[in-house]
Structures are given as structure tokens and as C-alpha cells.
């Protein structure tokens, strides 16, 4: 057959007796056209932000927790592509009286919400308004937490939708040089919002809309143009951190202490956990967002794990390692030697002084205090109650001096001039010593009477200042007496169930944990305890004094007071001083409640901005955006276009 695949249209005539010079054959049909695969752009991945409908919501409530508070107002703004589509606002009857401090903060009174609908009728309308949208809030856990609690209370199903927290988003995108923190009141003037936040729901929601749009302008130049990239922005894991996940491979499970060590094998950070492996692995996931930890992980070269018998031993070892090595990335308990004490000096006419060390036999010591401010507050409270001398000179019975202004005010007996004898001065100092030892009534009762008198006279600010000073003083006395209760016990053993039929054992001597172990199910507790005592540490120091740091002794105290703890054995007397500070428990509870009422919506999360915030990997368009005159304005323009806040024209 000829080489060409298709026969000629007019074949020549065949010669008689000769085979045909050609024949027609059926050729297979041509294969179908193969599908074409095109490279997708970033706009094709996920939902573009310009097409997403957001509902920015803000709530006003009667308190800071949905467990004991209720919603008083809901305000929401629906936006898409930079355009406002609708607004939602209503007052809500919380079913209870609105506290006065809330009314002062928000301007919403019980009279205003008396005729308002209840949350069970408001909630369906709001959920319909927000159906199919992405919820946005500033400090989203607060607002969404109240909404979820309201849905659970009314039996309404909570819609599983995406959410955006503008506070966390601002923390990722803004630097400390631009704003000192990421509170709404700070971000509003930075972005020049059209509405200033004023603790009313709709106004705060409108301000949050402008803040959200201002943050969107920062997203475009970084290549973040889709909803999926936006919601994953706060969960992004730094590639350098991800590459170090192999450091956690050898870490075992169970309670213990872990140490991140640096290039010179120096401890960078010390932590503790009931599950070492899970906790250490979390440092290399998106759940760890602390900037200090990101910097620490970048320096870490290896991780050392120290398994422990139970959580008390792990917590004690953590304190000791932090105090010994003082890792640069640990903030708490690094300098236990910096604790302050109030000392009643041991001299002819004792006085109060603030010191850093407790020396046995050098006077009466009260504390410790975390800082100088707390110590000064306690000293001021004592001076308000007792006419102790406040001069710093050492007085003599023979050499007399001149009186100071306090003597003329009646706040000092002027022992420096001989107007007050040693016998007259001693009972005054004895009141302070008795308060530290067992009974603070004679020291505290005059102060509380004065607080009531100031409040009755309408001097509320003076009464609040004195009340806070008394609270600091009472807490210091309680802390000192609790520490003394363990310092005088030569040895005792406590046990807690381990959850598997065994017992977690701890041997404590003069407030120091000297041995720890676990008696598994089926093993003799007494036999295991004998082994622990044989290998236990022998503390040094004089009898009757603490053999451990204050933080360690308080850890032991808290472990003892947990439900289910058993006292196995004790040598000596383990008892609390009487009457002690138990009579002032209600007073301290009222002070704590009053402090919470001052700022019931305080956000305890770390929302401070970073010196160098984490950045997402820029897309291809963002990579071409840098350089050139006016590149900053061009980048912002591209950001507005990419997120739908401006037209491409």
C-alpha cells in the first residue's frame, strides 16, 4: 500500500490479471482532544475577600462573664466589598438589674431596658441577619462567648461559621511603633474611624468596621486576598519554627519539666506539664503565638526533658531550675531573692523597715511582698493604725533629740525627746508582733472602722485607698502565717490518688519537698514510703525556719488543699494559728469583687503589638510591589483593590 494514509480520490484503473495497486482500509478515529490544565491564580483559591459578607458585631453586657452576666444591647453592621449593606441594633432586657458601674460605663440603665425584648426573641432575628456571613468582633471570644451562651440557654442552635478577631489581626499586622496596644480605643484614632467607640454596641461596631477596613489595606500587599488566608493568618506557623519540630521527637509523655537550650547549651526557657510530649510539640504548632516564644524557638538547639513522679514534683523542679539558671525567656519566679519583707527592728524603740532578707533573731518579719509598692502600702496601713516612729535614726535612752512633725500631729509619741518611755512604747510594737504571730484584730480593727467612717462622710476615694492598703496588710499576714505553719513541721507525708488506683506520695520537711514517688495499684504504700524516706533529701538551716523558697512552700500548701489529698504521716504539729485571718475572708472577697467591678471587661490576653510582627509569605503580586517611588501608596492601593475596598479604575 502506498505510504500516504489516505487513498487518492481517483484511483487508477486496475490492470487485468494484476493485483490492485492499492486498497482502501478503515483508519482508526482520531483520539479525542485531551483536557487542558491551566495554572490557577491566587484569586481562584478560596473565596475572595471582595465577595465575602461580614457582620461586625458588638455587645454590651451586665458583666464580664456569660456565667453570671447577660446581654443588654446588640449592635451589628453588615458589609461587603467596603459597602455597608445593613445595620442591626436593639436593647435587650437582661432579666436582672444592671449594676451601677455598668450604667456609668455604657450609659444603659435598668429603666432603658425595662420595655426591651428578651434575648430569646432577639436572638433569632440577629442570627437571621447574620446568616451566611462571617462574624467579626474586636475581642471575639468575649462577644461570641456571650452569643453562644445565649444560644445554649434558649435552645437555639449556634451556626458554625467562620469568625475574625480584629484585635488578634491587628496584633499580627501592626508594630509597636505604630500603636502601643491593640485595644479598640487605641486603633480607632490610628485608623481615623468615622465613629469613636463609646461603649454602645452600634457605635463600637461601626468603629470596628473602619478598623477592619484599615487592616484589610495591610493584607493586599502581603498577598492575602481570600477568606481562607485571612482566617488562617493568626494560625500561621513560621517556617523556621516548623523546621525545628524534630527537637520534640524524643520527649516522653507524662508529667515533668522541659528545658529549651540554646547554642551554648544554656537554658533559654523552663516549663512544666502533665504531658511533656503534647506540651512541647505545641510550641511548633499554630497554637503558640507569643512573640517571645517564637524568638526563643529560633535560638533553641535541643530540648531536655526531666520526667517527674507527679505534677507537684514537676512544679517544684521548675521553680528550682528557674531560680538557679534564670532563663532569659522566663518571666516569673526568676528572682525569688528580690522578694521584700517588712521588719520590725530589734532595738530600744522598734520601727518598720523594708528589707530583702529574713534573718532569724533580727526582729519580726512580715511578708513576703511581690514589689515595693505592696510593701509600702502595708507599711502605710500599719502607720495608720499604730503610732510607731517613722524616723530612721537609732534612738538612745540617754541621748535625746527634737520632735518631728508627726509628733505634733499626734501620730508619734516622740520617744526621741523622752516624752514616751520604753515601757509605754513596747505595747505599741507588741500589737504588730501579735498580728504577725496569730491575731491581727487589734491592728486591723481600727483601720476598718476608719474605712467605714470615711465612707459615711462621703470621702469614698480616701476610703477606697485605705481599704486597699488594709487588704494588702491582711493578705501579707495570712501568707506569713500559712508559711509558718509548715516551717515548724520537721516532716509530713501527703498523698493524692493518681486516677489509676495508686497514690502520688510527697515527703515534705520544713516546707521543702524532699522526695516524691508513685505507689502503683497493688503496691504497698507503706513499703514505698519507707524507700522514699530513706533516699529523701536532708534540708539545711536552723529548725523552725523554712528550708525552701516561699513559692515552693506555697505550691506544697496548694497541693495539700486540693480535694482528695490525704495526710499520711506527720512528725511534730501541723496546725494553723488562731484566731488568724479567717475572720477577714469576707472582707477580702468584697475587695476582690470591687476590684473586678472597676474594669469588668478587662481583656487579660496578651494583645500588645510586636516589634516585628509575623508576616505571611507574600504572593507573586506582592513580590512585585516593592521598590520604586511611591511604592507604599501603590501597595496600599493594591490592598484596597484586592480586598474590595476600592474599584480597580
Amino acid at each position: 500500500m502506498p505510504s500516504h494514509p489516505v487513498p487518492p480520490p481517483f484511483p487508477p484503473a486496475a490492470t487485468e490479471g494484476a493485483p490492485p495497486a492499492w486498497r482502501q482500509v478503515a483508519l482508526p478515529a482520531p483520539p479525542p482532544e485531551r483536557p487542558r490544565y491551566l495554572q490557577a491564580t491566587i484569586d481562584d483559591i478560596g473565596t475572595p475577600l471582595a465577595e465575602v459578607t461580614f457582620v461586625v458585631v458588638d455587645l454590651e453586657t451586665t458583666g464580664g462573664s456569660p456565667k453570671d452576666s447577660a446581654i443588654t444591647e446588640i449592635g451589628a453592621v453588615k458589609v461587603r466589598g467596603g459597602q455597608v449593606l445593613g445595620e442591626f441594633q436593639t436593647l435587650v432586657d437582661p432579666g436582672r438589674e444592671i449594676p451601677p458601674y455598668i450604667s456609668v460605663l455604657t450609659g444603659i440603665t435598668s429603666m432603658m431596658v425595662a420595655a426591651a425584648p428578651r434575648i430569646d426573641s432577639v436572638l433569632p432575628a440577629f442570627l437571621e441577619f447574620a446568616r451566611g456571613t462571617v462574624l467579626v468582633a474586636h475581642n471575639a471570644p468575649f462577644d461570641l462567648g456571650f452569643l453562644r451562651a445565649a444560644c445554649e440557654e434558649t435552645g437555639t442552635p449556634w451556626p458554625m461559621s467562620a469568625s475574625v478577631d480584629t484585635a488578634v489581626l491587628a496584633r499580627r499586622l501592626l508594630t509597636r511603633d505604630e500603636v502601643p496596644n491593640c485595644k479598640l480605643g487605641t486603633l480607632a484614632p490610628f485608623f481615623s474611624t468615622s465613629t469613636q467607640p463609646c461603649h454602645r454596641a452600634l457605635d463600637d461596631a461601626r468603629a470596628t468596621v473602619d478598623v477592619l477596613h484599615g487592616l484589610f489595606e495591610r493584607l493586599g500587599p502581603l498577598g492575602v486576598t481570600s477568606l481562607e488566608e485571612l482566617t488562617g493568618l493568626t494560625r500561621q506557623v513560621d517556617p523556621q519554627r516548623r523546621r525545628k519540630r524534630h527537637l520534640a521527637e524524643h520527649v516522653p509523655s507524662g508529667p515533668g519539666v522541659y528545658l529549651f537550650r540554646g547554642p551554648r547549651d544554656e537554658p533559654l526557657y523552663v516549663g512544666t506539664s502533665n504531658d511533656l510530649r503534647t506540651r512541647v510539640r505545641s510550641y511548633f504548632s499554630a497554637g503558640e503565638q507569643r512573640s517571645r516564644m517564637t524568638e526563643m524557638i529560633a535560638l533553641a538547639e535541643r530540648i531536655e526533658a526531666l520526667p517527674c513522679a507527679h505534677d507537684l514534683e514537676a512544679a517544684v523542679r521548675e521553680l528550682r531550675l528557674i531560680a538557679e539558671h534564670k532563663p532569659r525567656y522566663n518571666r516569673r519566679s526568676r528572682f525569688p531573692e528580690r522578694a521584700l519583707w517588712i521588719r520590725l527592728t530589734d532595738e530600744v524603740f522598734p520601727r518598720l523597715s523594708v528589707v530583702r532578707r529574713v534573718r532569724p533573731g533580727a526582729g519580726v518579719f512580715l511578708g513576703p511582698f511581690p514589689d515595693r509598692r505592696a510593701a509600702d502600702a502595708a507599711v502605710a496601713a500599719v502607720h495608720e493604725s499604730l503610732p510607731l516612729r517613722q524616723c530612721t535614726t537609732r534612738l538612745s535612752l540617754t541621748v535625746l533629740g527634737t520632735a518631728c512633725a508627726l509628733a505634733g500631729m499626734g501620730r508619734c509619741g516622740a520617744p526621741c525627746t523622752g516624752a514616751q518611755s520604753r515601757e509605754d512604747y513596747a505595747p505599741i510594737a507588741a500589737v504588730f508582733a501579735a498580728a504577725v504571730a496569730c491575731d491581727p484584730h487589734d491592728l486591723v480593727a481600727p483601720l476598718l472602722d476608719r474605712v467605714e467612717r470615711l465612707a459615711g462622710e462621703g470621702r469614698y476615694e480616701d476610703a477606697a485607698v485605705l481599704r486597699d492598703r488594709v487588704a494588702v496588710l491582711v493578705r501579707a499576714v495570712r501568707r506569713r502565717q500559712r508559711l509558718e505553719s509548715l516551717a515548724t513541721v520537721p516532716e509530713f507525708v501527703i498523698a493524692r490518688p493518681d486516677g489509676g488506683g495508686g497514690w502520688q506520695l510527697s515527703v515534705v520537711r520544713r516546707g521543702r519537698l524532699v522526695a516524691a514517688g508513685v505507689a502503683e495499684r497493688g503496691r504497698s504504700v507503706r513499703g514505698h514510703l519507707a524507700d522514699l524516706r530513706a533516699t529523701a533529701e536532708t534540708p539545711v538551716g536552723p529548725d523552725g525556719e523554712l528550708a525552701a523558697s516561699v513559692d515552693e512552700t506555697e505550691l506544697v500548701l496548694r497541693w495539700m488543699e486540693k480535694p482528695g489529698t490525704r495526710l499520711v504521716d506527720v512528725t511534730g504539729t501541723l496546725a494553723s494559728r488562731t484566731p488568724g485571718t479567717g475572720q477577714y475572708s469576707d472582707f477580702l472577697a468584697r475587695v476582690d469583687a470591687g476590684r473586678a467591678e472597676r474594669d469588668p471587661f478587662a481583656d487579660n490576653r496578651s494583645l500588645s503589638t510586636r516589634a516585628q510582627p509575623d508576616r505571611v509569605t507574600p504572593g507573586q503580586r506582592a513580590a512585585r510591589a516593592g521598590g520604586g517611588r511611591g511604592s507604599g501608596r501603590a501597595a496600599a492601593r493594591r490592598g484596597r483593590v484586592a480586598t474590595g475596598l476600592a474599584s480597580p479604575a
Side-chain angles (χ1 to χ4, degrees):
M1 56 182 288
S3 60
H4 52 79
V6 181
F10 301 100
T15 304
E16 186 178 354
W22 66 276
R23 69 177 184 269
Q24 189 171 359
V25 296
L27 297 177
E33 184 179 0
R34 295 180 179 179
R36 296 181 179 181
Y37 296 94
L38 302 178
Q39 178 67 39
T41 64
I42 195 170
D43 294 332
D44 299 326
I45 303 175
T47 308
L49 289 177
E51 301 177 5
V52 177
T53 303
F54 297 94
V55 168
V56 182
V57 61
D58 186 82
L59 306 180
E60 300 301 330
T61 64
T62 60
S65 173
K67 296 180 180 179
D68 53 7
S69 304
I71 300 173
T72 59
E73 187 180 23
I74 301 178
V77 181
K78 183 183 295 186
V79 294
R80 183 176 65 238
Q83 301 296 323
V84 176
L85 304 181
E87 293 183 342
F88 182 95
Q89 189 275 334
T90 179
L91 292 172
V92 181
D93 182 8
R96 67 196 71 179
E97 290 292 329
I98 298 179
Y101 62 91
I102 296 295
S103 298
V104 173
L105 181 67
T106 64
I108 301 175
T109 62
S110 300
M111 185 68 66
M112 293 173 58
V113 299
R118 299 294 295 269
I119 189 62
D120 53 354
S121 59
V122 171
L123 199 56
F126 170 75
L127 294 179
E128 178 63 26
F129 177 79
R131 184 165 59 91
T133 65
V134 176
L135 293 178
V136 181
H138 198 80
N139 188 12
F142 176 84
D143 300 281
L144 301 188
F146 268 92
L147 290 175
R148 287 194 183 95
C151 287
E152 183 178 354
E153 181 181 356
T154 59
T156 305
W158 172 255
M160 300 300 295
S161 60
S163 62
V164 176
D165 191 341
T166 51
V168 177
L169 189 61
R171 186 171 182 260
R172 296 295 305 272
L173 299 174
L174 301 178
T175 65
R176 191 175 293 112
D177 295 334
E178 293 174 311
V179 289
N181 55 66
C182 295
K183 298 179 180 179
L184 183 60
T186 305
L187 298 178
F190 177 77
F191 287 110
S192 301
T193 59
S194 58
T195 304
Q196 295 299 319
C198 58
H199 288 291
R200 289 303 299 266
L202 186 58
D203 289 339
D204 288 4
R206 290 169 176 169
T208 306
V209 169
D210 294 338
V211 170
L212 178 68
H213 289 165
L215 294 172
F216 276 0
E217 294 186 11
R218 303 291 185 101
L219 295 177
L222 300 176
V224 179
T225 59
S226 67
L227 175 63
E228 289 72 17
E229 291 173 319
L230 176 63
T231 55
L233 179 61
T234 57
R235 299 190 299 270
Q236 184 187 14
V237 182
D238 190 279
Q240 185 178 5
R241 187 199 307 179
R242 190 184 298 112
R243 285 193 293 268
K244 291 195 172 184
R245 286 182 296 182
H246 67 279
L247 298 178
E249 293 177 353
H250 69 283
V251 177
S253 301
V257 181
Y258 56 89
L259 291 85
F260 284 85
R261 292 189 176 271
R264 296 183 299 275
D265 208 41
E266 74 278 11
L268 298 176
Y269 182 79
V270 179
T272 182
S273 175
N274 287 330
D275 190 343
L276 284 174
R277 184 173 181 82
T278 302
R279 181 67 184 100
V280 172
R281 288 166 64 94
S282 69
Y283 282 91
F284 305 97
S285 66
E288 181 54 69
Q289 293 292 330
R290 292 174 293 177
S291 58
R292 288 173 60 85
M293 295 298 100
T294 301
E295 180 182 346
M296 182 272 296
I297 294 171
L299 296 175
E301 295 293 335
R302 71 182 183 94
I303 300 176
E304 180 180 350
L306 303 176
C308 299
H310 46 69
D311 56 344
L312 176 59
E313 183 187 7
V316 168
R317 286 186 178 273
E318 179 193 24
L319 283 177
R320 294 177 183 176
L321 289 171
I322 292 176
E324 178 184 358
H325 298 289
K326 296 179 173 44
R328 57 184 294 190
Y329 290 99
N330 281 96
R331 288 184 172 177
R332 301 181 60 183
S333 306
R334 288 180 63 191
F335 303 100
E337 65 276 5
R338 294 183 180 178
L340 298 175
W341 300 75
I342 295 178
R343 173 196 175 200
L344 182 67
T345 59
D346 185 15
E347 51 184 319
V348 177
F349 297 100
R351 62 181 180 85
L352 298 182
S353 64
V354 179
V355 297
R356 290 197 178 274
R357 287 195 308 165
V358 176
R359 293 182 299 170
V364 179
F365 292 86
L366 174 63
F369 296 90
D371 50 38
R372 184 71 185 224
R373 192 157 128 198
D376 290 342
V379 170
V382 174
H383 285 153
E384 290 282 350
S385 178
L386 301 176
L388 291 172
R389 70 182 184 95
Q390 302 182 31
C391 53
T392 58
T393 57
R394 192 173 186 88
L395 303 184
S396 173
L397 295 175
T398 57
V399 180
L400 302 180
T402 57
C404 61
L406 292 176
M409 298 168 58
R411 302 184 60 180
C412 179
C416 55
T417 64
Q420 189 176 30
S421 64
R422 182 177 183 179
E423 290 73 17
D424 296 335
Y425 190 87
I428 299 175
V431 173
F432 178 81
V436 174
C438 59
D439 187 5
H441 179 267
D442 293 340
L443 177 65
V444 176
L447 297 174
L448 295 181
D449 292 341
R450 187 178 178 191
V451 170
E452 295 294 337
R453 185 170 64 254
L454 291 174
E457 296 173 357
R459 299 169 59 183
Y460 300 111
E461 293 183 358
D462 295 338
V465 171
L466 182 57
R467 179 201 62 186
D468 292 343
R469 290 177 177 176
V470 176
V472 172
L473 177 62
V474 173
R475 287 194 179 94
V477 172
R478 170 174 292 183
R479 191 178 188 189
R480 180 60 176 169
Q481 292 179 358
R482 283 166 54 85
L483 295 174
E484 286 289 334
S485 66
L486 296 190
T488 57
V489 181
E491 180 185 287
F492 65 90
V493 181
I494 49 180
R496 285 185 53 80
D498 64 352
W503 292 92
Q504 300 173 349
L505 302 176
S506 299
V507 182
V508 181
R509 294 174 180 171
R510 293 185 11 236
R512 182 180 181 87
L513 180 67
V514 295
V518 176
E520 295 84 1
R521 182 178 182 179
R523 184 176 181 182
S524 172
V525 175
R526 292 291 179 181
H528 186 63
L529 182 57
D531 297 338
L532 288 180
R533 282 175 164 168
T535 59
E537 174 188 359
T538 301
V540 297
D543 295 337
E545 296 292 333
L546 284 177
S549 65
V550 172
D551 292 338
E552 178 177 336
T553 306
E554 290 183 332
L555 277 176
V556 174
L557 280 167
R558 288 194 293 269
W559 210 69
M560 290 175 56
E561 295 169 351
K562 287 183 178 180
T565 303
R566 306 282 185 90
L567 181 62
V568 180
D569 196 4
V570 61
T571 301
T573 303
L574 178 60
S576 300
R577 300 295 180 92
T578 56
T581 59
Q583 55 186 323
Y584 302 107
S585 298
D586 293 340
F587 165 73
L588 295 177
R590 291 195 302 269
V591 173
D592 292 337
R595 185 177 292 108
E597 291 176 357
R598 296 175 194 172
D599 192 5
F601 307 107
D603 186 7
N604 297 323
R605 297 179 301 161
S606 176
L607 293 178
S608 59
T609 51
R610 304 179 181 182
Q612 294 182 349
D614 296 339
R615 303 299 190 192
V616 295
T617 304
Q620 185 176 359
R621 287 178 295 174
R624 296 194 299 263
R629 181 178 301 176
S631 60
R633 293 190 297 271
R637 175 68 181 175
R638 282 189 292 271
R640 290 192 293 271
V641 172
T643 54
L645 301 182
S647 62

